[in-house]
Amino acid sequence: MSRLIQRSLRQDPPRALRGEGIYIHDSNGRTIIDGSGGAAVACLGHGHPRVLEAMRVQQEQLCYAHTSLYSCESAEALADLVLEGEPGGLTHMYLCSSGSEAMEAALKLARQYFVEVGQPQRSRFIARRQSYHGNTLGALAAGGNAMRRALYQPLLSDAFSHVSACYAYRERAENESDADYVARLVAELEAEFLRLGPHNVAAFIAEPVVGATLGCVTALPGYFPAMRAVCARHGALLILDEVMCGMGRTGTMHAWEQEDVTPDIEVIAKGLGGGYQPIGGILIAGKVVAALRDGSGAFMHGHTYQAHPVASAAALAVQRVIREEGLLANVLAMGALLEQRLVERLGNHRHVGDIRGRGLFRCAEFVTDRATKVPFDPALKLNDRIKQAAYERGLACYAMAGTLDGRRGDHVLLAPPYIATAAEIEAIVARFGDAVDDALAGLPD
Ligand SMILES: Cc1ncc(COP(=O)(O)O)c(C=O)c1O
């Protein structure tokens, strides 16, 4: 058995030996289509020559210098590129090594902001149920993923509380209009502000497209502007977690561009560096930066590897490729094809309740019965069976349990790289559709 602890302590996974484009070659001699880029990470696929070359050049120049003394060219250039044109009023960037670290930075920055502007009582955060914001203790406390929180509950801060997500497929009442459902969610947020004392709330936190926990769930039109208005009325910040759905995954560089809303702090990671190096970050609105600059003059936070030169060089190359090769257009075109083919193949499947998502970020949710939407018995581990069946057919996908409440429900995500071709999308859907049939056929009677 392996001495390396990754996930299971009972089973060793195959080893990923080599990657090229959309494919991974494993230690069992299999060539697998990486249909989800891991967890929606590998946005340029594997082994992109421009990214490898940029990393090589940076490595030869300098691998590391501490940020207490130095900045570095690659991190500066990355910030300039990502913030070009100050999208949505975001003017500054802080760089770290993962999505969880980035979420921690967002929480601390929001807290520090209110101390600097003379509102130190603002220390509460409102997030949403069925969300995921990372696995470090602050990010885990922010998240609403019941399954991941349960074991660590005694360690989680009570500075966080949760309201409902916007999950129309299951949570909009039968005779409720979209507008009434949104109004109900807005009222719930308003009530939570009032319960906590509106002047005690630092920020509302949400994923514009809910990633792993709910499976590519988009909000209804009008939801985000209305939630933003509640925050604005009470003077709280809006933190949007785009770790999974951001940096082009949904067809626009920022998922919030399709929601008619802008954040005060945007959290990014996966698509920033595409998995070539561990990197995450936050993008920060000018007013937040100004408060710190005019106040204490420094962000009271830091990590040894923040703004790492090689990680920044890799992310810079990834971001240049996305822009220079016009890949957002491909995300939109291939995303539309992926949706169309999924609907054709599985749209009438009696155990596929919902096919949803945006861009190259798509998901199917599975049910025993489409009319009642009753989920499968969690003991059957249907999502895992589909993942295994897909792997048998040469497709890697991202499967999750607990769609409804952290325990019940199964969904499987597809998140191909932005470079995917139409033929590759067809192959992904063909293998996925067959895997769904295999897994369901294999269920005990
Ligand atoms: C929306 C969201 N936020 C935060 C994180 C945490 O990122 P990481 O796993 O890089 O720490 C994730 C990871 O899946 C995520 O999907």
Side-chain angles (χ1 to χ4, degrees):
M1 290 292 283
S2 167
R3 292 181 190 280
L4 183 64
I5 293 188
Q6 306 229 50
R7 306 282 159 140
S8 170
L9 291 177
R10 299 213 175 115
Q11 232 182 346
D12 286 344
R15 297 182 182 191
L17 298 184
R18 206 159 50 79
E20 52 193 9
I22 195 168
Y23 299 99
I24 287 185
H25 304 278
D26 77 10
S27 50
N28 295 330
R30 311 276 317 270
T31 297
I32 305 293
I33 296 182
D34 190 3
S36 62
V41 174
C43 60
L44 294 188
H46 303 281
H48 195 290
R50 283 186 62 186
V51 186
L52 300 186
E53 176 61 10
M55 286 164 58
R56 187 189 65 74
V57 169
Q58 182 64 47
Q59 277 163 350
E60 285 175 9
Q61 282 173 359
L62 176 76
C63 282
Y64 179 72
H66 197 269
T67 49
S68 63
L69 264 180
Y70 299 106
S71 183
C72 72
E73 298 291 351
S74 56
E76 294 287 348
L78 177 61
D80 287 343
L81 181 62
V82 169
L83 294 164
E84 198 172 8
E86 302 190 351
L90 300 167
T91 61
H92 286 71
M93 183 182 217
Y94 170 89
L95 284 169
C96 51
S97 306
S98 69
S100 299
E101 273 187 18
M103 179 49 70
E104 300 287 340
L107 299 172
K108 284 179 139 181
L109 182 60
R111 165 72 189 150
Q112 187 180 340
Y113 167 75
F114 282 114
V115 172
E116 303 263 2
V117 297
Q119 300 180 46
Q121 81 287 353
R122 288 196 189 261
S123 59
R124 301 290 315 220
F125 292 84
I126 305 174
R128 303 191 303 174
R129 284 189 278 284
Q130 295 304 94
S131 60
Y132 181 60
H133 299 300
N135 255 337
T136 50
L137 290 175
L140 191 64
N145 184 310
M147 183 259 294
R148 299 198 205 208
R149 288 172 58 96
L151 175 61
Y152 301 105
Q153 190 66 48
L155 309 185
L156 301 182
S157 161
D158 61 9
F160 300 87
S161 57
H162 299 89
V163 293
S164 304
C166 185
Y167 181 25
Y169 170 64
R170 284 193 181 275
E171 296 184 0
R172 181 184 47 199
E174 211 162 296
N175 295 319
E176 196 173 33
S177 68
D178 285 357
D180 287 348
Y181 176 46
V182 168
R184 175 156 64 88
L185 296 172
V186 172
E188 186 185 344
L189 181 64
E190 176 71 24
E192 186 60 8
F193 267 91
L194 295 180
R195 185 182 76 83
L196 295 169
H199 299 298
N200 296 327
V201 179
F204 172 59
I205 307 169
E207 296 163 82
V209 181
V210 186
T213 304
L214 271 185
C216 305
V217 169
T218 54
L220 288 173
Y223 169 83
F224 272 104
M227 300 300 262
R228 171 60 138 157
V230 175
C231 296
R233 192 162 57 248
H234 296 304
L237 299 180
L238 175 65
I239 298 176
L240 292 181
D241 180 350
E242 298 213 359
V243 166
M244 205 169 196
C245 63
M247 303 316 287
R249 175 58 58 196
T250 65
T252 47
M253 188 52 75
H254 310 279
W256 52 255
E257 290 173 60
Q258 298 176 61
E259 298 297 343
D260 198 18
V261 77
T262 57
D264 297 297
I265 303 174
E266 176 183 350
V267 188
I268 56 177
K270 299 171 191 278
L272 177 62
Y276 285 87
Q277 288 282 291
I279 187 165
I282 53 175
L283 307 179
I284 312 156
K287 76 165 185 187
V288 176
V289 178
L292 269 66
R293 188 188 283 136
D294 298 344
S296 66
F299 181 24
M300 271 291 292
H301 182 59
H303 289 287
T304 300
Y305 298 125
Q306 79 186 52
H308 188 276
V310 181
S312 300
L316 177 62
V318 168
Q319 294 308 310
R320 282 184 173 150
V321 169
I322 292 172
R323 286 159 179 77
E324 290 166 21
E325 297 184 7
L327 291 183
L328 294 185
N330 197 54
V331 172
L332 288 173
M334 292 304 110
L337 179 65
L338 178 58
E339 178 185 34
Q340 184 190 337
R341 292 290 183 262
L342 283 173
V343 170
E344 284 165 11
R345 178 66 175 83
L346 296 170
N348 291 321
H349 196 293
R350 68 193 182 100
H351 293 308
V352 176
D354 196 23
I355 295 172
R356 58 189 175 232
R358 195 171 276 166
L360 283 174
F361 196 40
R362 302 279 168 179
C363 177
E365 180 175 335
F366 297 90
V367 289
T368 55
D369 177 83
R370 284 156 63 102
T372 61
K373 302 182 184 174
V374 171
F376 282 88
D377 178 354
L380 294 174
K381 296 188 166 77
L382 176 63
N383 67 91
D384 195 54
R385 286 172 189 259
I386 295 171
K387 181 172 96 174
Q388 301 303 340
Y391 202 84
E392 284 305 309
R393 289 184 174 271
L395 174 71
C397 50
Y398 193 74
M400 282 289 286
T403 327
L404 280 73
D405 53 10
R407 205 181 70 81
R408 294 174 306 143
D410 299 89
H411 60 268
V412 181
L413 265 83
L414 294 170
Y418 306 171
I419 54 164
T421 63
E424 288 166 340
I425 297 292
E426 304 279 359
I428 288 171
V429 176
R431 292 179 194 197
F432 184 62
D434 292 347
V436 169
D437 289 338
D438 292 348
L440 287 161
L443 288 183
D445 294 327

